[in-house]
Amino acid sequence: MEACKGLLLLMVVLVLMVMQGRESEGQLAENFYSSTCPNVEFIVKQAVSTKLSQTPITIPATLRLFFHDCFVEGCDASVMIASANGDAEKDFSDNLSLAGDGFDTVIKAKQAVEALCPGVVSCADILALAARDCVVLAGGPAFSVELGRRDGLVSQASQVVGNLPEPNFNLDQLNTMFAKHNLSQTDVVALSGAHTVGFSHCGRFSDRLYNFSSNSPVDPSLDPGYAKQLMGACPINADQVINLDPETPDTFDNAYYRNLVAGKGLLSSDQVLFSDSASRPTVIDFANNPGNFNGAFITAMRKLGRVGVKTSDQGQIRTDCTTFNS
């Protein structure tokens, strides 16, 4: 009898531990909407595909929006909020360059979901799904997305300060910032691979071309031919946009890492992943083994999607992604 009681107690403890573990990960589940909105993934993918047929900017814009959202207040669609006072997350200087097509992708997907499942699916989950769909539609790996996030109740420009990586960050700075979100150095390198699509403004890297140091105006880690090409495209004080991946800018692949090995990382925070001996082996591995990159990217994206999630009364299901429910 005592043995049965002990076994029962052990089972209760184990169940509580499992429940506690789920709570710490925000109680997310891949099948979260299986009974309330079973077609949500199909609806979102259709909306993303339609948007992509209108503009290729959809892919990098939506991916970048997801990263910027998760790094500030967690993955809660707080970056989507529009403020009449200009003091929401999206109004902070680092977020002003977020392309409108990313926001529009989520808004259109949300409208399509609301038409069939009103008040059920959060904007945060729609953004997470749309980011995944963009990877797949650009030729990247398919993966499952954990769902069940609530939309955040706070969106303040002041909360962005110091929470987004800068283009001149070194490896230690990148690792420190990502570690705050339980992301490892391997995750840093893998998530940086999203720069295989998209573009950057000249001002984000022009110091590497014209004002790197007193000894060398050009960053010596840049391939000389690539540096000359960039100077031609980015004269001093120019504000053009340049592809982050000069080889396959519209395809999600491992060319980004081959570019780093060749000295063709556009941002200093890109090239440092190869320049720093601590992360160089991972870059070389991803450059030579696309399967290893894809696997690491999936792992990192799933970890990123768990950052700071809100569940239950910690958030809400917005009707309009750009406005808090009244």
Side-chain angles (χ1 to χ4, degrees), residues 19-42:
M19 288 175 68
Q20 221 174 18
R22 282 179 181 165
E23 238 173 72
S24 68
E25 288 190 358
Q27 297 171 322
L28 301 181
E30 292 171 16
N31 64 347
F32 189 84
Y33 298 109
S34 60
S35 61
T36 54
C37 192
N39 294 322
V40 61
E41 296 201 35
F42 175 77

Side-chain angles (χ1 to χ4, degrees), residues 89-120:
E89 271 182 43
K90 67 182 293 187
D91 300 307
F92 186 73
S93 55
D94 282 1
N95 282 336
L96 293 177
S97 62
L98 289 170
D101 291 299
F103 292 96
D104 194 50
T105 299
V106 178
I107 290 168
K108 293 286 172 56
K110 172 66 170 175
Q111 290 170 347
V113 171
E114 283 294 303
L116 292 176
C117 312
V120 172

Side-chain angles (χ1 to χ4, degrees), residues 35-55:
S35 61
T36 54
C37 192
N39 294 322
V40 61
E41 296 201 35
F42 175 77
I43 300 168
V44 172
K45 188 169 185 178
Q46 286 294 105
V48 175
S49 298
T50 299
K51 181 66 182 176
L52 178 58
S53 70
Q54 297 164 357
T55 171

Side-chain angles (χ1 to χ4, degrees), residues 133-214:
D133 292 340
C134 284
V135 170
V136 175
L137 289 168
F143 57 95
S144 299
V145 175
E146 295 172 320
L147 302 169
R149 301 166 188 80
R150 290 268 178 153
D151 297 322
L153 304 172
V154 175
S155 181
Q156 298 174 346
S158 59
Q159 296 300 312
V160 183
V161 180
N163 285 313
L164 292 174
E166 297 290 342
N168 60 350
F169 267 15
N170 60 34
L171 183 62
D172 287 342
Q173 290 170 309
L174 289 169
N175 282 340
T176 299
M177 179 167 284
F178 279 63
K180 292 178 185 175
H181 304 301
N182 196 35
L183 295 166
S184 67
Q185 179 175 288
T186 300
D187 298 326
V188 171
V189 180
L191 289 172
S192 296
H195 283 178
T196 186
V197 293
F199 50 83
S200 184
H201 290 263
C202 292
R204 304 284 282 178
F205 57 86
S206 59
D207 59 328
R208 301 185 71 202
L209 303 175
Y210 302 108
N211 192 33
F212 183 72
S213 71
S214 56

